[in-house]
Amino acid sequence: MSAISALLARLGLQTSSAFSGAASLEFLAAAGPALSSESPSNGQQLVQLKQASVGDYEALRTGASQCFHELRKVPAPKRGDMVRRLAELLREHKEDLGLCITLEVGKIRSEGLGEVQEMIDICDFAVGLSRQLHGLTIASERTSHRMMEQWHPLGPVGVVTAFNFPMAVWAWNAALATICGNPTIWKPSEHAPLCALAVHALCRQVMREFAMPGLFSLAIGGAEVGKAMAADAAVPLISFTGSVRTGKQVAAVVGGRLGKTILELGGNNAIIVEKSADLDLAVRAITFGAVGTAGQRCTSTRRVFVERGIQEELERRLIKAYGSVRIGDPSEASTLMGPLIHAQAVESFKSAIAQALEQGGSLIAGGKVLEGNFVQPTILRAPRQADFPIAWEETFAPILYLFSVDSLDEAIDANNAVSQGLSSAIFTDSVRSAETFLSAWGSDCGIANVNLGTSGAEIGGAFGGEKDTGGGRESGSDAWKAYMRRQTSTVNFGRDLPLAQGVSFETE
Ligand code: NAD
């Protein structure tokens, strides 16, 4: 038995002899083309399976709709029990799930395990929330009337995810959707089917134990399945995570049928470093933000605006920190940076550096492809951002652009100038600067931090960004409201029926 088959067996999935080293397909709707998942680290084939066709998707959605009719009647705290059970299973299988992430998308071990922990955390959050779903009671202008706001389940939720968070993004959506009374249909990235299979194996166990078929569906497939889901009027909410380009297509299709979307799209995140900043903190945060997950996070740090006068010191310390980054096999404990996801990503890395050099940038660290999908984390000293168009794009790779600025206003303007609006940060010891950065005329991003970096959001806060990042919010705070429908209800407990505008009718 291959190591992958053994891993899947521990999760309750039997491998089939129909495909070499592949997962059993019995539970998968799969009449579509074959799909093979390979490790970005060494090209090893991990899993081979058949994808869902559009017809398979439709069958899954029918099952989800049937489940919805039952689930909406289940009290929310009981739905919380289902999520609690999922969290138990995630805890039990944390090591294996983390390993799947490392093998399939190349995250280092601590990042793979960290992503599983995020799933556990959102489940814990959702279990508590299942006893807290609440609406307002609002003062009525009419005597003996009570007006209130209720939140009801919405219906099946379509979840389309990107390769770089191959498990956690699904969990952020599915945990909240479940306690809100909605089944989910997951279309994972075609670059991460093993991760989706592994998580879904645990979901199957939850569905069995709670006799709730259709609660979690998995449609492994390409863009065709995503498109079918976006166009499906029986799916009232599509939560889409991915690039701005694809997100705009999805938004147009869902908007065309007046469906709801949660859009979590690309970022182009900046850190401002003032002269007063604690450079120890700043250097660690910038390095972690730019190099972590090989620069393949929506919240990766891509731009730094440093106050003129300390740029040389900051460069010197960043170059030193970058020199200590061990690149290699992500499953080894000492590795700090793994590979890019595929050869096309390596091409994007090379092309961005070539463009940056043409546009007046100068290389101060990295810049090279090592072998396969492994690249060096790279820093370029850049001219004014206005004259440096490559910095306006999100290149999904560990490339950092350093700009020198003369004032906080200039830095904030540059932070906000790009079309994306996900995460941002300032390093400063000045209360005035910190508060200005957080003010209504400061950062325009969905996330704005002081003295910590752009990546690594906590479950308790609402996560998402503005402008081209899509405006969606997931995870904590009141993000749950997006998964429910709001109803304003008024009850008359009096003996009169005061009509609006004082209208009266003779009835006897
Ligand atoms: P991508 O846009 O290529 O693919 C995302 C998903 O969309 C995949 O599952 C893909 O199969 C599916 N898809 C493709 N075409 C589709 C269509 N026409 N209709 C419906 N679905 C379709 O993105 P990617 O390369 O997997 O991920 C990287 C991108 O995701 C980056 O831009 C990154 O910033 C972004 N991202 C954003 C967040 C966030 O929370 N804001 C989180 C993670 C990743």
Side-chain angles (χ1 to χ4, degrees):
M1 192 187 254
S2 75
I4 299 293
S5 301
L7 185 155
L8 290 174
R10 288 197 291 278
L11 294 163
L13 286 179
Q14 296 313 309
T15 52
S16 147
S17 55
F19 295 98
S20 54
S24 157
L25 303 173
E26 282 147 40
F27 72 98
L28 278 180
L35 176 69
S36 169
S37 166
E38 277 126 34
S39 159
S41 305
N42 55 18
Q44 182 205 348
Q45 188 180 72
L46 301 170
V47 69
Q48 204 184 25
L49 46 82
K50 289 202 103 194
Q51 301 182 64
S53 64
V54 169
D56 294 325
Y57 159 73
E58 283 162 0
L60 289 171
R61 206 270 298 136
T62 302
S65 295
Q66 284 163 356
C67 174
F68 175 63
H69 288 283
E70 298 305 315
L71 190 65
R72 64 187 173 175
K73 296 182 201 148
V74 176
K78 295 252 180 301
R79 301 193 293 247
D81 289 343
M82 300 173 195
V83 177
R84 180 187 297 110
R85 179 66 185 131
L86 179 62
E88 282 170 7
L89 293 168
L90 291 170
R91 282 186 165 88
E92 200 179 307
H93 295 282
K94 183 173 174 180
E95 282 291 320
D96 277 340
L97 294 170
L99 187 58
C100 287
I101 295 173
T102 295
L103 292 172
E104 193 169 46
V105 302
K107 290 193 185 189
I108 60 172
R109 274 303 263 150
S110 59
E111 287 175 342
L113 291 169
E115 180 162 349
V116 183
Q117 187 58 45
E118 278 191 44
M119 290 201 283
I120 295 167
D121 291 344
I122 190 67
C123 286
D124 288 354
F125 177 88
V127 173
L129 189 61
S130 70
R131 291 180 181 273
Q132 278 276 301
L133 301 177
H134 61 276
L136 296 171
T137 299
I138 301 155
S140 169
E141 65 189 26
R142 291 168 283 192
T143 304
S144 302
H145 281 59
R146 184 164 70 84
M147 183 158 59
M148 62 188 169
E149 206 165 65
Q150 302 198 88
W151 294 89
H152 289 312
L154 200 55
V157 174
V159 183
V160 181
T161 56
F163 79 84
N164 66 324
F165 274 91
M167 293 185 184
V169 168
W170 169 81
W172 291 1
N173 284 282
L176 292 196
T178 303
I179 59 124
C180 290
N182 310 311
T184 43
I185 310 165
W186 182 13
K187 197 216 86 59
S189 163
E190 49 274 59
H191 301 297
L194 172 66
C195 289
L197 279 169
V199 170
H200 192 68
L202 305 182
C203 292
R204 290 172 68 213
Q205 193 165 330
V206 174
M207 287 190 283
R208 263 197 314 271
E209 289 177 17
F210 286 85
M212 196 52 75
L215 178 58
F216 303 113
S217 305
L218 174 64
I220 294 179
E224 291 315 306
V225 173
K227 282 182 191 168
M229 194 187 262
D232 189 346
V235 180
L237 170 65
I238 298 284
S239 175
F240 176 86
T241 299
S243 59
V244 173
R245 187 180 51 80
T246 316
K248 283 184 176 172
Q249 292 169 13
V250 171
V253 174
V254 182
R257 63 172 172 89
L258 302 182
K260 295 183 182 205
T261 47
I262 297 173
L263 296 172
E264 300 283 351
L265 313 179
N268 187 357
N269 317 293
I271 292 183
I272 297 170
V273 186
E274 288 202 314
K275 277 184 186 156
S276 69
D278 180 331
L279 280 190
D280 284 340
L281 298 191
V283 168
R284 283 168 54 216
I286 294 168
T287 309
F288 179 75
V291 170
T293 320
Q296 300 171 108
R297 285 182 178 219
C298 49
T299 52
S300 289
T301 308
R302 311 205 179 275
R303 301 174 294 145
V304 168
F305 299 103
V306 54
E307 193 172 353
R308 223 177 282 282
I310 55 163
Q311 77 272 25
E312 278 180 21
E313 172 72 356
L314 183 68
E315 279 182 13
R316 187 184 63 72
R317 292 171 75 162
L318 281 174
I319 292 167
K320 187 162 180 240
Y322 269 52
S324 70
V325 174
R326 281 178 301 277
I327 306 161
D329 180 350
S331 56
E332 288 200 1
S334 60
T335 301
L336 285 176
M337 198 181 101
L340 293 180
I341 187 71
H342 44 43
Q344 199 188 324
V346 176
E347 287 308 311
S348 302
F349 168 84
K350 288 201 292 200
S351 160
I353 291 174
Q355 290 177 62
L357 293 173
E358 263 169 37
Q359 292 166 13
S362 48
L363 211 48
I364 62 169
K368 292 203 176 65
V369 176
L370 298 169
E371 60 172 1
N373 297 330
F374 290 89
V375 301
Q376 288 179 324
T378 299
I379 309 177
L380 287 124
R381 192 185 300 136
R384 272 168 21 103
Q385 183 177 263
D387 305 324
F388 198 62
I390 189 65
W392 298 62
E393 289 171 25
E394 179 198 47
T395 304
F396 226 46
I399 303 175
L400 184 69
Y401 304 119
L402 284 186
F403 301 89
S404 297
V405 291
D406 291 309
S407 67
L408 178 62
D409 285 348
E410 184 188 347
I412 290 175
D413 284 350
N415 175 73
N416 294 352
V418 297
S419 61
Q420 310 87 349
L422 182 51
S423 188
S424 59
I426 187 168
F427 282 79
T428 182
D429 267 2
S430 157
V431 174
R432 191 166 291 140
S433 296
E435 291 291 339
T436 302
F437 181 71
L438 300 181
S439 72
W441 52 98
S443 166
D444 65 359
C445 295
I447 298 168
N449 294 332
V450 176
N451 292 336
L452 71 159
T454 58
S455 63
E458 283 187 39
I459 286 299
F463 179 86
E466 300 299 323
K467 304 190 294 185
D468 273 3
T469 302
R473 290 298 184 276
E474 281 173 354
S475 189
S477 184
D478 65 350
W480 60 271
K481 289 180 177 171
Y483 302 84
M484 304 203 85
R485 64 181 167 87
R486 184 196 302 236
Q487 185 173 69
T488 302
S489 307
T490 307
V491 178
N492 175 4
F493 56 95
R495 295 194 181 278
D496 291 328
L497 185 72
L499 296 178
Q501 288 96 37
V503 174
S504 67
F505 296 99
E506 292 291 329
T507 51
E508 269 189 67

